[in-house]
């Protein structure tokens, strides 16, 4: 069975500082990994994904994530946080081998960026 | 405008009264899915469909039904709702029935309360 862990319920960062939102995963085969963001009273929006290739993936709004196979991690990062980045962030994984097409999400991390 | 629409957006009902939440996408996507979002549990997949007449269970299918008679529509049916189905529901779609690397487009959500 596949799973995703987001160990921090909330991350607080000062505006202008770098931010990291952590994600670790477990799959039987090789992973497809995704990050989504949810603003209040809105649906989820896609930020970035790792399929194959370069371990550093760049996405929307200046976010990036690094795939680390040995640590089974896919942490979300941004060099300089903005107050407008405050939202709920979800990591998700899908196994790219074997049967089924389930997408498994983590429990989410609330990011709060303060002035 | 490319979008996923859900109706209704808000629904309050009573235990045992059958209801349907509609989902429609105008992007000609093969893959569609339903999720429920609960505090502390993140998003959990209820059912998904890889194409017309092809549906499969996600992680929490009990108490729900789906159908995929047309490519654009993927209704979620609660035959006999119970209070533990009170939740925020999201429909999503993505291109490619077996395109596991494709990101999903989410609807705005349906907030369901079962009394």
């Amino acid at each position: 069975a596949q799973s995703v862990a987001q160990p921090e319920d909330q991350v607080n960062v000062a505006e202008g500082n770098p931010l990291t939102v952590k994600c670790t995963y477990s799959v039987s085969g090789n992973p497809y990994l995704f990050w989504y963001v949810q603003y209040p009273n809105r649906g989820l929006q896609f930020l970035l994904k790792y399929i194959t290739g370069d371990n550093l993936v760049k996405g929307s709004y200046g976010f990036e994530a690094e795939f680390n196979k040995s640590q089974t991690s896919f942490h979300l990062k941004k060099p300089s946080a903005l107050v407008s980045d405050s939202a709920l962030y979800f990591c998700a994984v899908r196994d790219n081998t074997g049967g089924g097409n389930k997408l498994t999400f983590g429990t989410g991390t609330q990011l709060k960026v303060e002035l | 405008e490319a979008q996923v629409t859900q109706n209704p957006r808000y629904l309050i009902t009573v235990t045992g009264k059958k209801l349907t939440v509609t989902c429609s996408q105008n992007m000609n996507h093969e893959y569609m899915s339903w999720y429920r979002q609960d505090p502390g549990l993140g998003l959990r997949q209820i059912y998904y469909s890889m194409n017309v007449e092809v549906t499969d269970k996600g992680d929490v299918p009990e108490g729900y039904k789906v159908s995929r008679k047309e490519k654009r529509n993927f209704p979620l049916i609660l035959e006999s709702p119970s209070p533990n189905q009170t939740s925020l529901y999201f429909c999503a779609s993505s291109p490619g029935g077996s395109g596991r690397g494709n990101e999903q487009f989410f609807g705005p959500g349906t907030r369901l309360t079962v009394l």
Side-chain angles (χ1 to χ4, degrees):
Chain A
Q2 59 194 42
S3 65
V4 174
Q6 293 182 242
E8 301 154 318
D9 291 336
Q10 182 161 321
V11 170
N12 296 322
V13 178
E15 188 174 52
N17 283 359
L19 69 87
T20 298
V21 181
K22 295 179 181 177
C23 170
T24 59
Y25 67 89
S26 174
V27 292
S28 301
N30 292 316
Y32 289 144
L33 293 155
F34 304 84
W35 275 102
Y36 289 86
V37 60
Q38 184 180 31
Y39 297 100
N41 302 312
R42 302 285 296 275
L44 277 73
Q45 298 176 32
F46 169 75
L47 272 180
L48 51 81
K49 65 181 179 183
Y50 171 81
I51 304 301
T52 187
D54 194 347
N55 290 343
L56 185 62
V57 178
K58 294 186 184 297
S60 307
Y61 312 120
F63 283 94
E64 58 189 31
E66 186 165 12
F67 171 64
N68 187 317
K69 188 172 184 178
S70 63
Q71 297 186 4
T72 61
S73 66
F74 190 56
H75 302 330
L76 181 70
K77 300 183 180 184
K78 186 173 183 182
S80 178
L82 299 172
V83 172
S84 57
D85 293 329
S86 299
L88 185 58
Y89 291 80
F90 288 98
C91 182
V93 68
R94 178 180 277 155
D95 194 331
N96 77 352
T97 57
N101 254 289
K102 290 183 183 180
L103 181 64
T104 300
F105 283 82
T107 52
T109 299
Q110 185 71 49
L111 174 65
K112 187 173 182 182
V113 182
E114 299 168 311
L115 289 170
Chain B
E1 179 189 356
Q3 59 183 347
V4 178
T5 57
Q6 297 179 226
N7 283 292
R9 294 288 312 280
Y10 302 90
L11 179 60
I12 300 174
T13 189
V14 294
T15 299
K17 186 177 182 180
K18 181 180 179 180
L19 67 90
T20 299
V21 183
T22 64
C23 173
S24 183
Q25 50 93 5
N26 62 1
M27 296 169 279
N28 202 36
H29 286 168
E30 287 81 6
Y31 185 96
M32 296 186 74
S33 182
W34 276 104
Y35 301 88
R36 59 177 289 173
Q37 183 179 8
D38 302 289
L41 297 176
L43 271 79
R44 292 178 292 168
Q45 194 170 37
I46 302 170
Y47 270 95
Y48 63 92
S49 169
M50 292 171 65
N51 215 323
V52 175
E53 302 291 0
V54 181
T55 62
D56 208 347
K57 295 177 180 179
D59 292 319
V60 288
E62 296 78 19
Y64 304 94
K65 287 176 58 178
V66 293
S67 68
R68 188 90 182 273
K69 293 182 170 55
E70 305 167 281
K71 198 172 188 179
R72 63 183 294 127
N73 296 323
F74 190 46
L76 179 69
I77 303 158
L78 284 72
E79 295 267 3
S80 183
S82 62
N84 65 12
Q85 293 178 298
T86 293
S87 187
L88 180 58
Y89 291 86
F90 288 101
C91 180
S93 72
S94 66
S98 61
R100 296 174 178 156
N102 294 319
E103 60 269 27
Q104 298 198 0
F105 294 80
F106 282 81
T110 294
R111 187 167 292 281
L112 172 65
T113 300
V114 183
L115 301 174

